[in-house]
Amino acid sequence: GAGVSQSPSNKVTEKGKDVELRCDPISGHTALYWYRQSLGQGLEFLIYFQGNSAPDKSGLPSDRFSAERTGGSVSTLTIQRTQQEDSAVYLCASSLGGADRVRYGYTFGSGTRLTVV
Amino acid sequence: AQSVTQLGSHVSVSEGALVLLRCNYSSSVPPYLFWYVQYPNQGLQLLLKYTSAATLVKGINGFEAEFKKSETSFHLTKPSAHMSDAAEYFCAVTSSGYSTLTFGKGTMLLVSP
């Protein structure tokens, strides 16, 4: 597509429920990134996918968080047993790989605002 | 390791005044540096980036930034603020040894008439 698409744009869930957030990257972008944006905390890296390589999960805050990327395209971020501290905006970005990620840049979606009540 | 420090969580300027948003980075290898802008309820939009070519980088909406290796800085400037510049600005770093962007905590720019 023309841009990075994220859905839903807003999600309100009850504490303890599981949620799934979706990211549809730009066609042809081999790299996909998830970030979490909490108030006053900037953007926190969560997970990175590059092609068929094993994902870099070093930023996931707990084992309640997981993500997958199917067919090298769409990605789903899953948060199990949500807690109030999970409330944040979850941003997805995609890019070309290697040096092209710098040359052509990273493109961000509009994010999913998650509220856990 | 990489890190970014943005001095000032909030910066207030009058319309027409100079905008200066500060960014200092830490990187053990030559960095690539980015400035993004975020308007309310929107994603991040790239303003400009430094990729080891010219040290003075011009971006969209009249913004520019200068890479100063000796000061490990990449401050964002605009000669004359406009009301539409009010937004949150993020500085970010990556390098050849990293694939992800590391962001600062952001600076909210407030523009008063």
Side-chain angles (χ1 to χ4, degrees), chain A residues 4 8 21 35 39 53 57 67-68 89 92 98-99:
Chain A
V4 177
L21 312 180
Y35 285 84
L39 194 61
S53 302
K57 304 179 182 180
E68 64 177 18
V89 175
C92 175

Side-chain angles (χ1 to χ4, degrees), chain A residues 29-111:
Chain A
H29 278 190
T30 57
L32 187 148
Y33 316 79
W34 284 98
Y35 285 84
R36 179 169 68 177
Q37 184 177 18
S38 305
L39 194 61
Q41 295 301 311
L43 279 83
E44 173 190 10
F45 164 71
L46 296 177
I47 188 168
Y48 157 63
F49 296 89
Q50 172 57 57
N52 295 320
S53 302
D56 176 356
K57 304 179 182 180
S58 60
L60 294 178
S62 77
D63 59 9
R64 296 186 295 104
F65 288 72
S66 63
E68 64 177 18
R69 188 178 185 191
T70 54
S73 182
V74 172
S75 177
T76 302
L77 177 68
T78 301
I79 308 173
Q80 295 179 309
R81 305 181 302 282
T82 52
Q83 304 294 313
Q84 287 188 329
E85 60 262 28
D86 299 334
S87 295
V89 175
Y90 291 82
L91 289 167
C92 175
S94 70
S95 74
L96 295 170
D100 285 342
R101 66 184 171 87
V102 174
R103 179 182 303 170
Y104 297 103
Y106 301 70
T107 304
F108 283 79
S110 297

